[in-house]
Amino acid sequence: MSELSRRNFFKLGACVVGGACAGNALPQIGQSSEAEGHATVAMTLPYPRTRLANLQELSVGKGLPRTYPDTSSPISLLKLGRRTVNGVGPDQDIVAFSRYCTHMGGALTYRSETGAYHCPLHYAMFDPAKGGLLVIGQATDNLPQLDLEIDAQGDIYAVGIKGLIYGRQTNVLASPDAR
Ligand code: FES
């Protein structure tokens, strides 16, 4: 140990034991101007406004497969044929849900004979007429439901999601390039 570093070592030890260090006696940690150069980047983004379909493409009781908010998130756009919770459109009967089961991500399908989304893995069922309510099964959460809007031409847009899509920490992440 050189004479200089030995002197600093004893100086630092005296500060710690005595509890009375001068401001310049301790190493300056975490005060580099480098930190000032990094801007904080938001990890999540607003939901995109995405056209899903036109009213004329829907048939009562048939789920229309789409994706939202990105291509790795399958959803189902559905016209139930009767006024329903959170339904939009002239008959307030159009809804959309994530197609990933909230238990372990099974791919759900809508069956008009039961009026429910069914999971092929462990047989959970969700009711689209009641906001995606879990009816039966091992899942503990209801299905995430999309917020929908319809314009004057009858085009249906997704503008958000209530609930967390299975397997995600957040529904809309900033791209890795933006971090
Ligand atoms: S993954 Fe759907 S019930 Fe288990």
Side-chain angles (χ1 to χ4, degrees), residues 43 105 125:
M43 296 296 286
M125 292 169 61

Side-chain angles (χ1 to χ4, degrees), residues 1 6 18 27 46 57 63 100-101 103-104 107 118 120-121 145:
M1 186 181 288
R6 185 177 299 143
E57 297 174 65
Y100 282 148
C101 177
H103 179 223
M104 293 179 71
H118 291 246
L121 296 189
Q145 183 167 23

Side-chain angles (χ1 to χ4, degrees), residues 45-94:
L45 294 174
Y47 284 110
R49 178 180 168 83
T50 304
R51 183 184 179 281
L52 299 178
N54 187 276
L55 286 174
Q56 296 181 347
E57 297 174 65
L58 298 179
S59 307
V60 173
K62 284 190 177 176
L64 203 59
R66 293 289 187 269
T67 60
Y68 186 83
D70 52 50
T71 54
S72 56
S73 173
I75 62 110
S76 170
L77 181 64
L78 183 62
K79 181 176 174 64
L80 285 167
R82 62 186 188 282
R83 187 175 175 153
T84 188
V85 174
N86 300 325
V88 298
D91 302 318
Q92 298 188 330
D93 64 342
I94 298 168

